[in-house]
Amino acid sequence: MLTLRSSAPFDLFDRLEQQLNQQLNQQSQTAERVPAAEVHETPETYAVLLELPGVDKAAIEVKATDRTLVISAERRSHHEPSAEGEATVKAPLLSEFRYGTWSRSFRFPQAIDRDRLQATYRDGLLRVTAPKANTVTSVTVQVED
């Protein structure tokens, strides 16, 4: 709780600002880290585009089931300690970047061909192309006596 008594006239404002900054930092740390996406459809494919600036290609994972595409990634801070115990870059005075892991899933109205999925990553954009599966199949059953 904030005490309203102050020895200097501007101490109260300094403490209010500190508390507000602490609350904002806590909210930004717990905020969901979901990138912006676009989903396009052609007669043959679904295409998903995700904005992933600052994400290392090796930190991206793409999985698929019959009708669902799941994309996960991690954006790592450049000032985290390295394996040697030293920081690679000094910690910033202010950072509004969001770091951490996230996952998004997209469920399509038609089955996708998981064996022909393609993913490319360039200039901070991930493009996943999921060809639609040919679900028109016929089965012949032998009638037994």
Side-chain angles (χ1 to χ4, degrees):
M1 184 167 180
L2 182 63
T3 305
L4 296 177
R5 295 182 188 158
S6 175
S7 58
F10 295 105
D11 285 350
L12 176 60
F13 292 112
D14 290 339
R15 280 187 274 155
L16 283 171
E17 183 180 21
Q18 287 174 352
Q19 284 189 340
L20 182 59
N21 285 334
Q22 286 174 350
Q23 287 180 337
L24 290 174
N25 286 337
Q26 288 172 354
Q27 288 174 355
S28 67
Q29 289 172 358
T30 58
E32 197 171 335
R33 296 169 178 90
V34 179
E38 283 186 357
V39 179
H40 300 269
E41 179 181 15
T42 68
E44 298 85 25
T45 64
Y46 297 106
V48 177
L49 286 104
L50 287 163
E51 287 183 332
L52 300 177
V55 174
D56 185 20
K57 184 173 80 168
I60 301 171
E61 184 177 61
V62 179
K63 295 180 181 180
T65 63
D66 291 337
R67 291 176 48 195
T68 304
L69 185 65
V70 179
I71 303 170
S72 305
E74 179 180 11
R75 184 174 182 196
R76 296 180 186 101
S77 171
H78 296 289
H79 54 83
E80 290 179 355
S82 63
E84 297 82 35
E86 295 182 25
T88 55
V89 177
K90 288 186 178 182
L93 295 175
L94 167 72
S95 178
E96 295 178 347
F97 293 162
R98 294 187 181 217
Y99 300 103
T101 58
W102 55 266
S103 180
R104 284 203 70 175
S105 62
F106 302 90
R107 185 162 174 84
F108 302 111
Q110 186 175 336
I112 58 176
D113 187 347
R114 296 174 292 175
D115 297 328
R116 296 189 310 142
L117 278 177
Q118 292 181 332
T120 57
Y121 181 62
R122 183 174 177 184
D123 297 332
L125 282 176
L126 175 69
R127 174 187 283 275
V128 180
T129 304
K132 294 178 181 178
N134 286 333
T135 56
V136 180
T137 59
S138 62
V139 176
T140 303
V141 177
Q142 183 69 29
V143 178
E144 297 180 23
D145 289 327

